[in-house]
Amino acid sequence: MLAALALVAAASGTALAVVPGDPGIAAIPCTVAYTVQNQWDTGFTANVTVTNNSAAKSSWAVKWAYGGNQKITSGWNAKITQSGTAVTANNETYNGTLPNGGSVSFGFQASYSGTNAVPASFTLDGVTCNVDSGGTTDPGTPTGSGTPTGSGTPTGSGTPTGPGTPSTRVDNPYAGAKVYVNPEWSANAAAEPGGSRVSSQPTGVWLDRIAAINGAGGHMGLRAHLDAALAQKGSGEEVVQLVVYDLPGRDCSALASNGELGPTEIDKYKTQFIDPIAAILADSKYAGLRIVTAVEIDSLPNLVTNTGSKATATPACDTMKANGNYVKGVGYALKKLGAIPNVYNYVDAGHHGWLGWDDNFAPSAQILYQAATAEGATVDDVHGFITNTANYSALKEDNFTINDNVAGKSVRESKWVDWNRYVDELSYAQGFRNQLVTTGFRSNIGMLIDTSRNGWGGTARPTGPGATTTVDTYVNGGRYDRRIHVGNWCNQSGAGLGERPKAAPAAGIDAYVWMKPPGESDGASSAVANDEGKGFDRMCDPTYTGNPRNGNSMSGALPNAPLSGHWFSAQFQQLMQNAYPPL
């Protein structure tokens, strides 16, 4: 197992916020937190967060010097140069503003040999950070090391633009922009007791059938949403989040999310679904919006995990792999939507509890590359990827890491982790981003993580590691994700709202998003007749005892759930009650 070290040069921006009347903190002009996220024999990746405690800045430069032979090879969210041991990180055009009390993060990959010591000091615009005016080091600075998750040698690089990137696009559409608040979801949320606490949060608009384009069942259509977004936009930038979700034979392993199109209806998908959406998005009326598309949730990963001789295989997934219509459909969607200058395509990349195993990780990246280069599409049509969409995987597990050993066994041997390389979604998204770049995607791709239902707060949230009696007591006692099995996905009991939507929260991550609107069901808990093409999946039945895809475990689903996408009041109330961070 390759070692992964977290070496922190200063406390977080939160811990070092300027407090009026506290001269010990206020006297520190700036703080820098330098964290080695992944380290292997010849290289490492690191994240740097700088907090400005002095006058507001419109541009900035962070400098440090290495004591060894570290050489930075690529970076993101900053323009990084190196001369000998001296390193300078200057702001990008989109993140130069740094107000008093504000923070900014950037990251990089570097090579080294021998030791990899943390730099001894840092400056922000020539002023030494992490010391007060009397020269005293910040007393809150931790000097220990941790063991964040990660796997193998990262090979991804940063976010410089390059040939083929349309000049009208920005590197991160969420940076400096508001995000569209769907008035229909907002009204549903506000109508719930306590719902006004979150009803102003932005959520995704799901285009999950042809009728949704013009509006179905009295709901707003695509143009109505875009017009509403223009009204919200004002003079600033506005992101609109759309889920494009109607592949033929959609989601071949889960009946609740099946769609209206049969396995062979690829032409109908192209001409009646993608083409009309593209025509609307290309209207010059909407050219001032930043339109983010989450392209075809769930289907492509099934071609890796649920086909062939695997115990998890299904005939429907074998059919879709054989006819190639998932690959063709995604390629066509990327080509048509990617041709529109203000559209940013993010392709679904599953989640850590699906694709984090060695057998799935690289093959999934290859399938995604195959789709991104099908039907005339190219990797330039892919701005990034989205993970954990409509799922529950915890963003960050703090009480155990993939590198821990308990009672003579690795955490990977625990029943919960089950030899996965990842234990949470942030480490998976960052690791999978590196794999995608290695596979052939552009080095400036960014990741989105859906945090709408992965908070796992409330009274059941562990406050520390589990007992070290066995590796299972250690993991189960400390894990935030309280599902019965990581493969459970339908209306999970005990779930809570996760991190609020936020731009550029971590290295390689464009945003945390609420792509799945909290309170909208994953599927009905019993059979419900409908004209939406949605079947009854036993994984949504709380009495179901499982299948090989969830280790033959109970489903963990809430009772009395409506059809997928329909409002589920009991779930929404639970999500607010168990929110983490708390509401």
Side-chain angles (χ1 to χ4, degrees), residues 157 203 385 493 581:
S157 56
T203 54
F385 294 82
S493 177

Side-chain angles (χ1 to χ4, degrees), residues 85-344:
T85 60
V87 177
T88 300
N90 291 287
N91 63 276
E92 294 280 8
T93 56
Y94 55 81
N95 63 0
T97 301
L98 192 55
N100 175 268
S103 299
V104 65
S105 297
F106 56 93
F108 60 88
Q109 181 169 314
S111 63
Y112 81 105
S113 62
T115 59
N116 182 24
V118 172
S121 65
F122 301 82
T123 63
L124 173 62
D125 294 341
V127 176
T128 302
C129 299
N130 303 332
V131 297
D132 65 20
S133 56
T136 303
T137 301
D138 167 40
T141 302
T143 57
S145 64
T147 52
T149 59
S151 72
T153 302
T155 53
S157 56
T159 55
T161 57
T165 302
S167 61
T168 53
R169 290 196 179 105
V170 295
D171 180 73
N172 181 355
Y174 290 86
K178 296 185 296 183
V179 186
Y180 173 59
V181 177
N182 179 347
E184 293 185 311
W185 177 83
S186 182
N188 283 333
E192 295 283 344
S196 60
R197 294 174 294 174
V198 296
S199 59
S200 62
Q201 292 290 349
T203 54
V205 174
W206 287 59
L207 302 174
D208 61 353
R209 50 186 169 139
I210 292 168
I213 299 172
N214 293 323
H219 292 291
M220 297 168 65
L222 177 56
R223 281 193 179 275
H225 281 295
L226 295 175
D227 290 340
L230 287 175
Q232 291 181 17
K233 179 178 182 294
S235 59
E237 299 292 344
E238 176 102 344
V239 170
V240 180
Q241 302 175 126
L242 306 175
V243 178
V244 178
Y245 186 54
D246 200 26
L247 274 177
R250 187 178 72 194
D251 200 352
C252 53
S253 69
L255 296 174
S257 47
N258 284 169
E260 63 187 347
L261 301 180
T264 63
E265 293 187 284
I266 185 66
D267 291 337
K268 189 174 182 180
Y269 174 79
K270 293 178 178 180
T271 60
Q272 297 187 36
F273 185 66
I274 295 300
D275 287 355
I277 292 173
I280 293 171
L281 299 187
D283 189 330
S284 60
K285 178 181 181 180
Y286 306 121
L289 295 171
R290 296 177 181 178
I291 300 171
V292 166
T293 61
V295 178
E296 294 298 351
I297 309 306
D298 287 345
S299 291
L300 282 171
N302 281 303
L303 301 183
V304 174
T305 62
N306 298 320
T307 57
S309 60
K310 299 180 179 68
T312 55
T314 69
C317 291
D318 284 331
T319 295
M320 298 316 300
K321 184 173 184 178
N323 68 26
N325 284 341
Y326 282 176
V327 169
K328 295 173 187 175
V330 170
Y332 187 82
L334 292 173
K335 180 188 71 171
K336 294 288 289 189
L337 301 175
I340 305 167
N342 57 315
V343 169
Y344 300 79

